[in-house]
Amino acid sequence: MKETFLYIFKFFAAASLFPAVIGTTAALLAGYSSFEASVRDMLQLGLGSYLFCRLFVYDFSHVYLFGQKVVASLCGFLKPLISTAPFVLPIYTLFVLLGYMLATAIGQIETFRPFLLFLLSFTIVMHIVMTAGDLYAKDNVPGKPDYFFAMSLIYLVDIFLVALVSGLILPGFSFPEFFRGMVDKSGDVYLKIFRQLF
């Protein structure tokens, strides 16, 4: 009985996050749509390149696992974070964003911007896809309630972190606008679902 109740609770908890996932994704895309075409092209190229490599060339599992080990070692002094931090923190994306900040500080951002934007998109997509695969494989319960809840939560945290840092270093991306868009769009989805149900 207890296991059944827990299963149902996890299922509804996961479902309750889906509107936020939709709203957050829409807000991020709206924020990046304000960039000039060359910037959008590099971001799309990074996304497409990862998916192509994943499907036809190399799955990057060893690269992903190495990144997880790095995060685990960095968070080793905080015991509760050791098990969750490798899934939540997109370490390669954070390194790319640090590289962007460094290139800006030394006045070389025009030279490196296309490459860094490509890597930004490539690494965040890699992190989300690889994390989803890892969590999916670990959830043996029918319906995958743990997977859907954990992956939705991780996705929201990752996109929030990327938007926050993007707002600090990428000209033309406004984190306050992203946050308002996230709240408004997520609220719209929740409201539409509520009206459909009641």
Side-chain angles (χ1 to χ4, degrees), residues 14-187:
S16 69
L17 290 176
F18 284 157
V21 168
I22 295 168
T24 302
T25 303
L28 184 71
L29 293 175
Y32 282 134
S33 69
S34 64
F35 290 147
E36 58 188 52
S38 61
V39 173
R40 294 197 306 271
D41 289 346
M42 291 310 298
L43 292 171
Q44 290 169 3
L45 182 62
L47 185 152
S49 296
Y50 171 74
L51 295 177
F52 178 83
C53 290
R54 165 88 178 175
L55 292 172
F56 302 110
V57 182
Y58 177 62
D59 67 359
F60 292 93
S61 57
H62 292 91
V63 177
Y64 173 76
L65 290 173
F66 177 77
Q68 281 196 313
K69 290 177 183 177
V70 171
V71 174
S73 64
L74 291 174
C75 298
F77 62 95
L78 297 171
K79 296 288 185 186
L81 293 180
I82 291 178
S83 60
T84 57
F87 295 110
V88 175
L89 292 177
I91 188 68
Y92 294 114
T93 305
L94 295 177
F95 282 147
V96 171
L97 291 169
L98 288 174
Y100 197 102
M101 292 173 66
L102 178 62
T104 302
I106 64 176
Q108 295 295 318
I109 190 58
E110 293 304 320
T111 303
F112 294 105
R113 179 180 283 126
F115 180 64
L116 289 169
L117 290 171
F118 172 88
L119 287 178
L120 174 68
S121 178
F122 190 100
T123 55
I124 191 62
V125 174
M126 178 184 75
H127 175 79
I128 290 172
V129 171
M130 295 298 295
T131 299
D134 200 359
L135 292 175
Y136 187 89
K138 289 179 178 178
D139 189 358
N140 297 318
V141 178
K144 306 283 186 182
D146 290 331
Y147 161 74
F148 283 112
F149 178 74
M151 194 59 228
S152 298
L153 202 56
I154 288 169
Y155 178 83
L156 290 171
V157 171
D158 283 348
I159 297 302
F160 189 87
L161 285 174
V162 169
L164 178 62
V165 180
S166 294
L168 296 174
I169 68 170
L170 296 179
F173 188 91
S174 170
F175 179 76
E177 286 185 16
F178 161 80
F179 188 79
R180 282 194 294 271
M182 178 184 72
V183 172
D184 291 344
K185 294 175 190 301
S186 299

